[in-house]
Amino acid sequence: MHRWWRDAVIYQVYVRSFLDSTGDGIGDLAGVKAGLPYLKKLGVDGIWLSPFYPSPQHDHGYDVAAYCDVDPTFGDLAEFDQLTAAARRLGIRVLLDIVPNHCSSEHPWFKAALTAERGSAARARFHFADGRGPDGAEPPNNWHAMFGGPAWTRITEPDGRPGQWYLHMFTPEQPDWNWRNPEIGTEFDRVLRFWLDRGVDGFRIDVAAGLYKHPELPDSPDPEADARTRDSVNPLAWNQPEVHDVWRRWRAICEEYAARDGCERLLVGEVSVPTAREHARYVRPDELHQAFFFDLLSAPWEADAFRKVITDAMQDIAGTGSTVTWVLNNHDQVRTVTRYGEAAPEGSGLGPARARAAALLMLALPGAAYIYQGEELGLPEVVDLPDDVLTDPIFRRTGNRARIRDGCRVPLPWSGQASPFGFTSGAEGTKPWLPQPEYFAEYATDRALADTRSFWHLYRDGLQLRSSLDQLGEGSLSWLDTPPGVLGFVRGDGLVCAVNFGTAPTPAPVSDTPLLSSGPCPAGVLPGSTAAWWINNL
C-alpha cells in the first residue's frame, strides 16, 4: 500500500487569500486551480484547503452551515471537482479542512434546536442546559470561550421567555456539537464519505482534541485558562478519553477506501495537548495517521530547546509507528519571519535569517512537513492593519489586538508594484478583502522566482533535494557533538544538517562545501542564524 503521507510536504492554502479568479477581492477554488502550476513548480506533494463550505463567515469558514457543499463566495461543487482533477493530473494530493467540534449557528440542525422544546431530540445534538441562580440567569458552569467571554449563551424560547443556555467554546456563532449523541457520529460518517467519494486524499481535522466534554459539565478550577492562553487547556472541555473512539471510527472509514485502490487516505489532526507523550496517543496505529506537532513552532530560538523538542517527538511520536508532522506556521500564528524577529535583539534584523534556517531544519527532519502559504516568499506579519478592517472574531469579542490572526491572512502578492499585486482579476480599484501594504511588492511571487537568493528558491531547492536524496524524508536521525549554540544531526548515509543558533560565525561540524545553505556559508564555517546541509563521509 502506498503510504505517501509519511514524509509528504503539504502546502496550506488559505483559500480566501490565495488567488481571486472572480474579481470580488476574495480568493476562490478556481483561483486555487489556477495556482496549481506554481505549487507544482515549488515542489510540494499536496495541498490542505481551508474551509470553503457554506458559512456566514463569522470565523471565516470555521463556522460551517453545511458540510457537503461549497459557499458561492468560493465557487461550487463543479469547480471543486475541476480543482481536484487538475491537482490529480499534476500529482498533487488534496486535503480538506473538516470542523467536527462545532458548526455555525446558521446550521439547519441548530436553527431547529432553537425552536424545539427543552429535552427534545433537536437540542440533544448540542449542549443545551438550564442556567444556575435565580430564574436560571447564570451560565450552567464557569467556562470561558477560547476567543473571549463566557462559553455559554442564553436563548429566548419560542414562547418569548428567557430559556436555556448553549455551549460554544469559540464564539456564540459556533455552537459545539454533542458527540455523546450517536446521531452526530453518524452524520460525520456521511460527511467523510461524501468527500472521499469525490476523490479527496484526506482531511485536516480542526480541534481534534475537542469534540467530547466532561459528561457532567462541572465548573473549572481555572475557567479563564483557554481564553488566557488561546489554547485548549481546560481539561473538562478538551482531550476527553472518548475522543479516541471517533478517530478509530474515522480511521476505519479511511482504511476501507484505501483497500479499494491501495492508496491511503490521510487523517491529520490539530492536536493541542501538553506533552509529546500525550500527543502520541492520537497517532496510534488505529487512530489518526498524523497530528501536527506544534512544539517546534513554539520553541525559543535556542539550540538546546530545539534539540529537546525534536528528541521528544522522535521518541514518543515516531515510536508509535507514525511519523512526526512538523510545522513552523499556519493561519492562526504570527508569521515566522516576524515571530523570530520579535524574539531577536532589537535592531538585529535576524527574523528573515532565522526563518530561513528554521525552514531548512524542518525540511531535513524525519517525517512530514506543512508549509503555510506565503512562508515560501518570506512574507512578514502585517501588524498595522486599521481596526476598521479587522475581521478576527477574537478582536471583535475582546477589543484586544494581541495575537489576532488577520495579519498572517493578508492576500498573497503575485506580481506588480502596487496592490492588489495580481491577487484579483477584478476591475481597476478592486480591493482585496484585507488591505495589502505597499512593501508587499518586495515579496511578490514574480520577483521571488526571478531572484535565486529568495526564500522561494531556498524552499524549492530544499524540496527538490528532499525528494531526490534517499537520506531525507522518512527515517531517523543521529545527533552530532557540536559547539555550544550549534545543532547538528546526520540523516541516513552521511547527510548532515547543521544550524547555528548564535550570531557569530562558528566552525561547522563538517568541512565540505554545503549542498544547500540558508545564507552565506563558506566551506568550513557556519555563520550565525544559518543552516546548511552537507553530504559527508563520516
Side-chain angles (χ1 to χ4, degrees), residues 273-322:
V273 289
T275 66
R277 182 167 298 179
E278 194 74 21
H279 181 112
R281 296 182 60 216
Y282 285 82
V283 293
R284 290 175 288 195
D286 61 343
E287 295 192 37
L288 303 178
H289 299 82
Q290 293 178 323
F292 296 121
F293 188 63
F294 295 116
D295 291 32
L296 191 70
L297 183 157
S298 59
W301 186 253
E302 300 168 1
D304 290 345
F306 270 63
R307 179 164 178 161
K308 183 180 187 309
V309 162
I310 295 166
T311 298
D312 288 350
M314 294 300 298
Q315 174 181 307
D316 294 325
I317 298 170
T320 67
S322 178

Side-chain angles (χ1 to χ4, degrees), residues 125-158:
R125 294 167 174 157
F126 303 91
H127 295 278
F128 278 86
D130 293 332
R132 300 190 292 193
D135 302 320
E138 299 296 325
N141 67 27
N142 66 351
W143 297 359
H144 281 236
M146 187 89 72
F147 291 171
W152 296 89
T153 290
R154 196 175 194 185
I155 70 166
T156 300
E157 298 290 351

